[in-house]
Amino acid sequence: MTFRIGRYILLVLLIILFFSASKTIGMYVDWLFFSETGFEAMFTKVLSAEVFTGIAFGAVFFLFVALNVFFASAVAVPAIDIMFMGQIKIPFDPAKFGKIFKFFGLFVALFGGMVSAFWGSSLWPIVLSALHSVNTGRIDPIFGNDISFYFFRLPLYQALNGYTGFLLFFTILLVAVGYAMRGGFLMFNKRISFVRRAKEHITFLIFLFFVKLAFGFYLDRFETLFSHHSVITGAGYTDVNARLIVLGALVPLTVIGGIVVAYALLKERLKIALYPVVGLIAVYFLGVAIYPSVLQSVKVAPNEQAMEEPFIKHHIALTKFGYNLEKVQMIPFDVSFNLTAKEIAKNDATIKNIRLWDEAPLLKTYSQLQQIRTYYRFSGIDTDRYIVNGDYRQVMLSARELSYNDLPSKSWINEKFVFTHGNGLVMGPASRISKEGLPEFIIKDIPPSSTSNVRITTPEIYFGELTSDYVIVNTKVPEFSYPTAEGNIYTSYKGSGGVRLDSLWKKALFSFYFGTPKIILSSEITAESRILFNRNVAQRVHKIAPFLMLDSDPYSVVGDDGKIYWIIDGYTSSDQLPYSKQLKNWVNYMRNSVKVVIDAYNGTTKFYVSDSEDVIIKVYSAIFPGTFRPMKEMPGDLKKHVRYPRDLFKVQTAMYATYHMNDPKVFYNKEDLWEVPVHNEKSMDANYLIIKLPEEKREEFVLLVPYTPAKRDNLAAWFAARCDEPEYGKLLVFTFPRDRLVFGPRQIDARIDQDSYISQQLTLWGQRGSTVIRGKLLIIPIEKSLLYIQPIFLAAEDKGGLPELRRVVVAYENDVVMEENLEQALASLFGKRKAAPPVAGAVGTPAAATQKASIQDLAKEAGQVFERAKTLQKQGDWSGYGEQLKKLEQVLKQMTGSK
């Protein structure tokens, strides 16, 4: 039997040794990666924290269990004879079983210590955060603790509470089994008889368990600040006036109960020992479950709004704090309908930057026009702004990355040595279209050619969104760069990224790590060769800083040095903010604290603090000094392309739709609830736009989304996040007057559908083998007015159909027009008062807008006005019907005068 046990132990040790070797190799590869990226100090800090926390938790578990095992095995137990079948005496030697118990107990203690060490090592962020805790200056309204207590110290206390509870329960169970095996307590005449020292030992452990339970009740008091109710998140009236009182009382009662249980066990009066246990269960059940429910039903529910009012205030205030909505500036936007051609001209920069291209159709168009080869891919469309030939322009761009799934000939040599990188990007103005309905280009082709001052001199993309596997550069095999009519062009890597394979040891190391012997066996690898890994930019950042949440949309930027960079927004977050409403992933505190810049050629990764007031990034900056740089150190050419992140804005938009209501009564009744309008059967996305905000003197890059009242279609407000310095990060809400109708997206869609001319054209195109794609509806504020703009795309019905931007629909006040481009649409709306200047998307002659309308044009306009008048009549809008009749009269007079 001893031989079998030894064999099993040897097998376990071999398994542990194998996994330890794998772990060690993985750690060394990580060390090489962190050395390459310049974050060695970060790696050693995390590793040392993992080791020390692991050793601490493992050692405590092993020592506590081992000491109890030694003590239990040393307790003298008298030898007895066991009667079998009431006749046969079987001698029982406790010393023999004591040795077995000691051996088994120490093995269990060692194994449990190892498991505890692995578990404890994962707590390094909690431990380091608690040690470097920084006060927020914000106090919770119930206990008066600084919010940092909940962010940094409470998670550690909760982990220690759970760990201690398991340790004590496990030890009690193990020791009890040991005493039972050795005869430390036996049943005589329905009564349990204990050996005195065994009794004292188990009693002491049980008392410690009661102390642990008391500490658990103490921590449970803080958990009430995160409880969920129908109206709020956090402690409500019932929690504060019932549950907290009972939980507070349970702390000393549990300690007292532990003393009574210990006394009863020592006196071997087990019935008395049950009384405190039953009493505590009854107090908990009655005081924490039943009494609060009765109080809620009888006292709170009939007067809920009044009794919960102070707690609703806490909920609103801390939810706003959690999602950085405290400084939102609310501004009335008094919509007027007197926009003229002169004001259109005054806002020329806004008009010529109106984004006509949608991401989905443009991605398909870019892929067909600029993918060049089947093994290149555009993973998505990014929206940004550049100074293009002296003008502030909104552009749409996409990096041309290598897709390994689409290589024509897949082999290890091709995938790892030859096809190593993507090439350049494509960029075009967001508003310009060609005569064929296709996008215009600022940067295109391979190698990248530019028609502006924005130029790319280092087009190779070794690190990107699609680069998920390793490659080896500077081998004897030339790297493919790009194809030409004369043949392929090859290159070699001249950057500093990756790890040099300058020794047999490193080749063997990476062969084992990546699970292939080809690295060590290949004769193409030289001492100058480098292995590039962790090349996916999101995975690269996560590897370095796993404690950051990352935005779902890394975006590419062209620097003034001609290189391509990636910028990723990093978030600090917590689920430990009292009273704050939680998201689906339990997060209730979120800040865009970090901007991460990755060099697409070298993989150089730098972290910049974009929210220096965030307490969590302050703590991580203290833990990892030198890792997070101040924003002022970011190069100016890249800083100009920092933008407010869409993911965070989406969360803030959803929250502010409810939490703009500061009055507890209004909040309780949801009297002024907003929602993001639905368009094309889904909630509208926020859009990056270049516009001139009300009362501002220049155009700027903003992220904007509209609101409608809940279950209504008219507009209630629009929410904007400013992206340009020095106003970056400021949030503005422009509210529309409640005493008049401001059309929302659904109403505009309905008016477009009800326009006979537009509806007829869309139906006709859809019957000719084309797919009509109605783009995103943009709501553009111009002065004190709103323009509604929707691009219309046509594509062949087959999957390879090339989307072409063929029409632009513009709605203003009660007018809806559809023209070939934005210029003609604006001229149709405002041209008769004064000619509109040449604007974005022009394919016609600018002079056409200034010429006197022809009979045919006037007849067409008269027909449109008449159809709108009939539609308004059917809707019962007699005021609008009268306006359209007056407009029809004016058009007819113009027709008469033109004859």
Side-chain angles (χ1 to χ4, degrees):
M1 181 177 177
T2 304
F3 174 74
R4 288 182 179 178
I5 294 175
R7 186 172 60 182
Y8 290 144
I9 293 175
L10 179 61
L11 180 61
V12 170
L13 291 175
L14 288 175
I15 293 173
I16 293 173
L17 182 64
F18 175 79
F19 283 107
S20 298
S22 299
K23 180 74 172 176
T24 302
I25 290 175
M27 287 172 56
Y28 185 69
V29 170
D30 287 345
W31 161 255
L32 293 175
F33 169 72
F34 277 83
S35 299
E36 171 216 337
T37 53
F39 295 103
E40 303 100 317
M42 196 173 186
F43 177 83
T44 54
K45 186 67 171 283
V46 171
L47 181 60
S48 60
E50 287 180 330
V51 171
F52 286 133
T53 55
I55 288 176
F57 281 94
V60 167
F61 189 97
F62 173 76
L63 290 175
F64 187 81
V65 174
L67 286 173
N68 279 277
V69 167
F70 273 118
F71 185 86
S73 60
V75 171
V77 177
I80 61 173
D81 293 331
I82 299 176
M83 298 297 295
F84 181 73
M85 303 293 291
Q87 297 178 353
I88 304 175
K89 291 184 178 180
I90 301 176
F92 178 80
D93 184 7
K96 181 178 180 181
F97 282 92
K99 292 179 181 179
I100 296 175
F101 169 69
K102 182 189 292 186
F103 178 81
F104 176 75
L106 289 178
F107 176 76
V108 170
L110 178 62
F111 182 77
M114 293 175 63
V115 173
S116 296
F118 281 115
W119 176 80
S121 65
S122 67
L123 299 180
W124 69 264
I126 296 176
V127 174
L128 290 182
S129 296
L131 294 175
H132 295 83
S133 176
V134 176
N135 285 344
T136 64
R138 183 124 190 178
I139 305 299
D140 89 77
I142 304 301
F143 298 105
N145 294 318
D146 189 271
I147 296 300
S148 61
F149 169 79
Y150 302 96
F151 280 178
F152 308 119
R153 293 192 291 279
L154 182 59
L156 179 59
Y157 297 157
Q158 290 170 330
L160 290 174
N161 180 57
Y163 171 77
T164 305
F166 175 76
L167 176 60
L168 287 170
F169 179 79
F170 181 82
T171 305
I172 291 171
L173 187 64
L174 180 65
V175 168
V177 169
Y179 281 127
M181 288 175 58
R182 299 177 58 227
F185 53 87
L186 297 171
M187 292 286 296
F188 288 104
N189 298 323
K190 298 182 180 180
R191 182 181 176 186
I192 300 178
S193 177
F194 290 87
V195 174
R196 184 177 62 83
R197 292 186 66 189
K199 176 172 57 180
E200 293 171 349
H201 185 192
I202 293 178
T203 298
F204 177 70
L205 291 176
I206 290 176
F207 174 73
L208 290 180
F209 189 77
F210 270 83
V211 173
K212 179 266 161 199
L213 287 178
F215 183 62
F217 287 132
Y218 173 78
L219 295 181
D220 286 346
R221 295 158 62 245
F222 303 115
E223 285 296 316
T224 60
L225 302 186
F226 309 98
S227 56
H228 297 278
H229 303 281
S230 59
V231 180
I232 66 169
T233 296
Y237 181 90
T238 301
D239 293 315
V240 173
N241 293 279
R243 288 191 179 91
L244 281 179
I245 295 173
V246 175
L247 288 172
L250 278 170
V251 175
L253 288 176
T254 304
V255 176
I256 294 171
I259 294 173
V260 174
V261 169
Y263 176 80
L265 289 176
L266 290 175
K267 297 298 183 179
E268 297 189 10
R269 302 176 69 178
L270 299 185
K271 288 184 178 180
I272 295 178
L274 291 176
Y275 295 154
V277 176
V278 173
L280 288 173
I281 293 174
V283 170
Y284 184 87
F285 185 70
L286 292 173
V288 178
I290 294 180
Y291 172 61
S293 299
V294 173
L295 182 65
Q296 180 73 23
S297 301
V298 175
K299 186 176 182 179
V300 178
N303 309 284
E304 190 173 40
Q305 186 272 313
M307 303 196 77
E308 298 285 13
E309 183 169 324
F311 308 105
I312 293 175
K313 289 181 179 178
H314 302 331
H315 176 55
I316 294 172
L318 284 164
T319 298
K320 282 188 170 183
F321 172 73
Y323 297 100
N324 205 19
L325 295 170
E326 292 182 301
K327 297 180 181 178
V328 175
Q329 186 179 359
M330 198 171 272
I331 304 169
F333 189 89
D334 190 13
V335 180
S336 62
F337 300 101
N338 54 2
L339 194 62
T340 65
K342 182 179 179 180
E343 289 170 322
I344 292 290
K346 182 181 175 182
N347 290 272
D348 175 62
T350 296
I351 298 297
K352 71 182 181 182
N353 279 297
I354 291 174
R355 200 203 72 205
L356 298 180
W357 287 98
D358 282 0
E359 288 94 340
L362 185 61
L363 178 61
K364 197 169 184 179
T365 301
Y366 274 0
S367 297
Q368 295 200 38
L369 297 179
Q370 281 292 306
Q371 194 167 287
I372 310 297
R373 290 291 187 271
T374 57
Y375 41 80
Y376 288 123
R377 278 285 180 271
F378 295 111
S379 61
I381 299 293
D382 299 320
T383 303
D384 206 342
R385 70 283 197 201
Y386 285 77
I387 302 297
V388 179
N389 294 332
D391 294 327
Y392 187 56
R393 300 300 300 269
Q394 182 170 346
V395 302
M396 305 186 81
L397 64 158
S398 185
R400 187 185 292 106
E401 297 192 63
L402 193 66
S403 173
Y404 289 94
N405 293 329
D406 298 301
L407 286 177
S409 176
K410 290 187 177 182
S411 66
W412 189 76
I413 294 293
N414 275 348
E415 292 180 359
K416 307 305 178 187
F417 291 176
V418 180
F419 294 94
T420 57
H421 58 272
N423 201 304
L425 53 75
V426 58
M427 177 190 293
S431 57
R432 302 292 302 183
I433 56 176
S434 69
K435 293 180 180 180
E436 296 78 20
L438 299 175
E440 293 184 1
F441 296 104
I442 297 172
I443 299 176
K444 63 177 182 177
D445 298 339
I446 303 177
S449 62
S450 175
T451 59
S452 72
N453 57 298
V454 183
R455 299 183 180 278
I456 297 176
T457 57
T458 308
E460 294 85 1
I461 300 176
Y462 286 90
F463 300 85
E465 293 184 88
L466 301 180
T467 49
S468 57
D469 207 351
Y470 73 93
V471 295
I472 302 175
V473 296
N474 291 345
T475 64
K476 296 178 183 179
V477 180
E479 295 175 48
F480 173 79
S481 184
Y482 59 89
T484 66
E486 291 77 22
N488 292 336
I489 303 299
Y490 294 89
T491 186
S492 62
Y493 183 69
K494 300 178 178 62
S496 58
V499 176
R500 288 182 61 182
L501 297 175
D502 52 3
S503 67
L504 184 63
W505 155 248
K506 287 184 179 178
K507 292 180 184 179
L509 180 78
F510 283 103
S511 287
F512 183 87
Y513 183 77
F514 288 112
T516 175
K518 295 178 181 178
I519 296 177
I520 193 173
L521 297 177
S522 175
S523 60
E524 308 293 344
I525 299 174
T526 70
E528 299 300 319
S529 298
R530 291 176 174 270
I531 183 167
L532 310 182
F533 57 106
N534 292 329
R535 296 197 300 141
N536 180 280
V537 289
Q539 294 174 4
R540 189 175 185 85
V541 174
H542 181 73
K543 185 73 174 179
I544 297 171
F547 44 82
L548 292 178
M549 288 174 56
L550 299 180
D551 195 85
S552 61
D553 183 25
Y555 59 100
S556 52
V557 172
V558 180
D560 288 350
D561 56 1
K563 297 181 70 175
I564 298 174
Y565 298 88
W566 296 93
I567 297 181
I568 306 180
D569 288 282
Y571 305 108
T572 49
S573 62
S574 174
D575 59 0
Q576 293 290 310
L577 178 62
Y579 276 103
S580 180
K581 183 176 177 62
Q582 291 181 326
L583 304 176
K584 291 181 179 179
N585 59 357
W586 304 105
V587 166
N588 61 9
Y589 174 91
M590 191 174 181
R591 291 290 187 274
N592 176 216
S593 300
V594 179
K595 305 288 185 181
V596 190
V597 178
I598 304 99
D599 187 321
Y601 190 78
N602 288 318
T604 306
T605 306
K606 296 181 180 179
F607 297 81
Y608 299 94
V609 176
S610 55
D611 186 352
S612 58
E613 296 181 1
D614 172 44
V615 66
I616 297 181
I617 201 62
K618 287 181 181 178
V619 168
Y620 282 124
S621 296
I623 296 173
F624 305 112
T627 298
F628 300 98
R629 310 176 184 209
M631 197 68 183
K632 63 182 180 181
E633 293 186 13
M634 180 183 285
D637 59 322
L638 300 180
K639 196 173 182 180
K640 291 185 295 186
H641 298 286
V642 166
R643 67 187 193 185
Y644 202 84
R646 242 182 195 157
D647 285 358
L648 175 61
F649 191 64
K650 185 175 182 180
V651 170
Q652 291 176 316
T653 299
M655 288 296 170
Y656 202 73
T658 301
Y659 293 91
H660 69 277
M661 297 181 283
N662 293 313
D663 188 322
K665 294 180 181 179
V666 176
F667 181 90
Y668 178 82
N669 295 311
K670 300 294 187 286
E671 296 174 16
D672 191 24
L673 188 65
W674 295 345
E675 63 185 15
V676 176
V678 173
H679 185 250
N680 290 343
E681 299 182 355
K682 67 175 185 177
S683 295
M684 291 184 69
D685 294 325
N687 291 299
Y688 291 104
L689 301 170
I690 289 180
I691 61 173
K692 185 191 293 182
L693 293 171
E695 308 303 328
E696 295 293 333
K697 296 181 179 179
R698 66 177 183 87
E699 283 75 16
E700 57 183 287
F701 197 56
V702 300
L703 185 58
L704 186 147
V705 71
Y707 281 125
T708 60
K711 300 179 181 179
R712 298 287 298 277
D713 293 332
N714 59 290
L715 285 184
W718 52 280
F719 194 8
R722 306 176 78 168
C723 298
D724 289 346
E725 293 289 348
E727 309 298 335
Y728 174 84
K730 291 185 178 179
L731 301 176
L732 308 172
V733 172
F734 294 88
T735 57
F736 299 122
R738 298 187 182 185
D739 59 351
R740 73 191 76 164
L741 174 64
V742 180
F743 289 122
R746 280 184 176 175
Q747 294 168 321
I748 294 297
D749 266 353
R751 291 177 60 201
I752 293 173
D753 293 336
Q754 290 164 4
D755 187 288
S756 60
Y757 171 72
I758 297 176
S759 178
Q760 182 183 11
Q761 288 296 315
L762 297 182
T763 302
L764 185 62
W765 288 327
Q767 293 174 348
R768 292 182 175 178
S770 297
T771 300
V772 178
I773 304 171
R774 294 175 64 164
K776 292 181 180 179
L777 182 68
L778 301 179
I779 304 175
I780 310 294
I782 304 288
E783 299 296 330
K784 287 291 185 178
S785 299
L786 296 176
L787 281 179
Y788 303 84
I789 299 172
Q790 184 177 48
I792 304 295
F793 301 91
L794 294 183
E797 288 186 345
D798 60 276
K799 292 183 179 180
L802 179 66
E804 299 174 356
L805 204 166
R806 282 302 183 182
R807 291 292 186 271
V808 177
V809 177
V810 179
Y812 173 71
E813 196 179 356
N814 293 315
D815 297 326
V816 179
V817 297
M818 182 176 73
E819 300 292 349
E820 291 185 2
N821 51 65
L822 185 57
E823 180 188 45
Q824 292 179 9
L826 292 174
S828 178
L829 282 173
F830 304 103
K832 290 187 288 295
R833 301 178 189 178
K834 188 174 180 180
V839 292
V843 296
T845 54
T850 63
Q851 295 174 356
K852 190 175 182 179
S854 67
I855 293 294
Q856 290 82 0
D857 292 335
L858 291 171
K860 178 181 177 182
E861 184 177 358
Q864 292 176 342
V865 172
F866 179 68
E867 291 294 337
R868 283 194 289 271
K870 289 200 303 182
T871 301
L872 292 170
Q873 183 187 32
K874 292 177 182 178
Q875 295 175 346
D877 187 354
W878 299 107
S879 176
Y881 176 70
E883 290 178 4
Q884 294 302 315
L885 288 182
K886 289 180 181 179
K887 186 174 289 187
L888 179 60
E889 181 181 3
Q890 292 173 359
V891 175
L892 293 174
K893 286 181 180 179
Q894 289 183 26
M895 291 177 65
T896 304
S898 54
K899 288 181 180 179

